Amino acid sequence: MRIVIPGGTGQIGRILDRALTADGHEVLVLTRRPRRDQEIHWDGRSLGRWTDALDGADAVVNLAGRSIDCRYTEQNLRDMRESRVHSTRTVGRAIAGARRPPRVWLQMSTATIYAHTFGTPHDEDTGVIGGGEPDAPRSWDHSVRIARDWEREQSDAATPRTRRVALRCAAVMSPDAGGAFDRLVRLSRAGLGGPVDGGAQYVSWIHDHDLVRAVRFLIHREDVTGPVNLAAPKPLPQRAFMRTLRQAKGIPVGLPATRWMARAGALALRSDTELLLKSRAVVPGRLLAAGFGFEHPHWPAAAADLVRRMRP
C-alpha cells in the first residue's frame, strides 16, 4: 500500500513511519523541511505538487499540528488551532480534488476533547465533550475548542469516496528519546515522579505498539468511521501511573507536588498545567466493539516493556 503521512516527522509520525515501512508499505511523509527521499515538501496550507502523492494512495494519516507541549499563550493557542485546522482543511481539499482519492483518511485528534472527570470514563458514544466544567479552569476550554474545530474540518470535508476516522489519541508511550515516557522517566530520576495535586486525576495512555496495530486495524476495517479513541482500556490515577513507572524503572521515591508547585514547574518547562492536572479518563469503546485486541492493556506490563526497550 501507499500511505501518506502529513506532518509525519514528529514522535507519532516516526513511530508509524518505521513500523509501516517495515511492513513493506510505501510511506510518504509530508513536511515543511524534507530531508529524505520519501519526504515531500508542503506548507500545510497550499495545494501543490505534493497532492500527487495522495492521488491513488491507499491511506492518508494526517498528524499535522503544532505541539501542545507549550505555554498556552494567546499566540501559541492561535498557532495550535491554525496549524490543525488549516492542515486538515488542506488535506480535505486535496482528497476532494483527487482523481483516485484514498480509501481512508485517518485524522489525528485528541482525547483532550472530553470533559475533565473523575467519574465514568468517556467512550465515543456516551462520552461528554469538554468545556465549561465547574471544577476546571476556563483556560482548559481552549484545547477543547481547538479539538472540536479540528474534527469539524474533517467531518465537513467534501470527500464522499473516502472513509473518515478521527483518532482521539491519548498520550502515546514509547521508549523514544524526547517522548512523553522519556520525559516522565527523567522527572522520576530527578525525584519528581510523585503525585501531583493529590494524583487523583486520571491518565489515559496507549503503548506505541498498540498505536501502530490500531492504525493498521483502522486502515482495513471498512465498517469503522467517525471518532475512535486510541487509548488503552485501563486508565488509572496519576499517582498510581507514576508509582508503577517508578517501580518499572527501579526508582523508589517520587516527591509529591502541590498545585502551585505544578504551576511553577510547568512555567519552568514552558508547558501548561492542563497537561498535568486535567483528569483524562478515556476508554476505546469502538476499537473493542470492532474486535481489536490490545497487546498492552495494563500499565504495569506496558511500563516494564518500555523500560526494557529504552536505550541506555
Side-chain angles (χ1 to χ4, degrees):
M1 293 192 298
R2 188 202 309 165
I3 302 172
V4 182
I5 308 180
T9 56
Q11 182 207 9
I12 296 176
R14 293 194 300 270
I15 291 169
L16 292 177
D17 187 1
R18 287 195 304 261
L20 296 173
T21 299
D23 289 344
H25 302 303
E26 178 189 8
V27 179
L28 300 176
V29 173
L30 305 185
T31 174
R32 288 177 171 83
R33 299 179 182 85
R35 295 185 174 90
R36 301 176 299 161
D37 289 343
Q38 64 267 42
E39 294 179 349
I40 301 170
H41 178 266
W42 84 323
D43 62 7
R45 287 175 173 265
S46 308
L47 299 180
R49 295 184 63 182
W50 62 266
T51 60
D52 294 342
L54 270 66
D55 201 320
D58 296 281
V60 176
V61 186
N62 184 22
L63 307 177
R66 189 197 195 285
S67 172
I68 63 169
D69 190 8
C70 62
R71 294 294 298 165
Y72 284 7
T73 64
E74 184 176 334
Q75 182 61 52
N76 285 343
L77 288 168
R78 186 182 305 114
D79 290 346
M80 279 192 280
R81 182 188 182 280
E82 291 184 354
S83 64
R84 286 160 172 72
V85 168
H86 288 304
S87 62
T88 305
R89 183 180 303 157
T90 302
V91 169
R93 289 172 60 202
I95 293 174
R99 291 181 298 107
R100 297 169 298 158
R103 293 185 298 102
V104 60
W105 171 11
L106 305 184
Q107 172 61 49
M108 181 55 66
S109 181
T110 174
T112 299
I113 198 170
Y114 292 111
H116 169 71
T117 182
F118 297 96
T120 303
H122 302 288
D123 66 15
E124 300 90 339
D125 296 320
T126 64
V128 178
I129 301 300
E133 298 96 315
D135 57 345
R138 293 287 64 79
S139 61
W140 294 4
D141 292 352
H142 293 300
S143 57
V144 173
R145 285 197 293 269
I146 290 170
R148 294 178 74 165
D149 291 346
W150 200 7
E151 290 191 5
R152 188 179 299 115
E153 284 297 329
Q154 186 195 34
S155 62
D156 288 350
T159 58
R161 292 187 289 168
T162 299
R163 180 169 55 92
R164 289 168 286 185
V165 178
L167 307 175
R168 292 179 176 172
C169 194
V172 177
M173 296 293 150
S174 83
D176 297 315
F181 186 75
D182 179 53
R183 295 188 68 177
L184 293 174
V185 168
R186 290 174 184 272
L187 286 173
S188 298
R189 284 173 173 163
L192 303 176
V196 176
D197 193 32
Q201 65 273 29
Y202 275 85
V203 177
S204 289
W205 57 277
I206 186 168
H207 188 282
D208 62 328
H209 287 175
D210 280 330
L211 169 79
V212 171
R213 294 177 60 251
V215 167
R216 291 189 188 116
F217 182 85
L218 292 169
I219 286 174
H220 292 289
R221 282 298 296 258
E222 298 289 342
D223 57 326
V224 179
T225 63
V228 172
N229 293 344
L230 295 189
K234 300 291 183 180
L236 66 168
Q238 185 266 345
R239 57 175 173 261
F241 182 88
M242 291 305 300
R243 180 173 63 246
T244 301
L245 184 153
R246 296 196 315 270
Q247 289 171 346
K249 194 62 182 171
I251 300 171
V253 176
L255 298 177
T258 62
R259 182 173 285 250
W260 73 263
M261 291 169 67
R263 289 177 181 146
L267 184 63
L269 294 170
R270 296 183 178 181
S271 187
D272 195 89
T273 53
E274 181 183 6
L275 301 177
L276 297 171
L277 300 177
K278 182 170 182 176
S279 185
R280 295 172 172 85
V282 179
V283 291
R286 289 188 177 169
L287 277 178
L288 294 175
F292 180 79
F294 283 82
E295 286 186 352
H296 298 279
H298 303 288
W299 180 232
D305 176 76
L306 293 168
V307 167
R308 178 183 59 80
R309 291 166 54 211
M310 289 187 80
R311 294 182 178 180

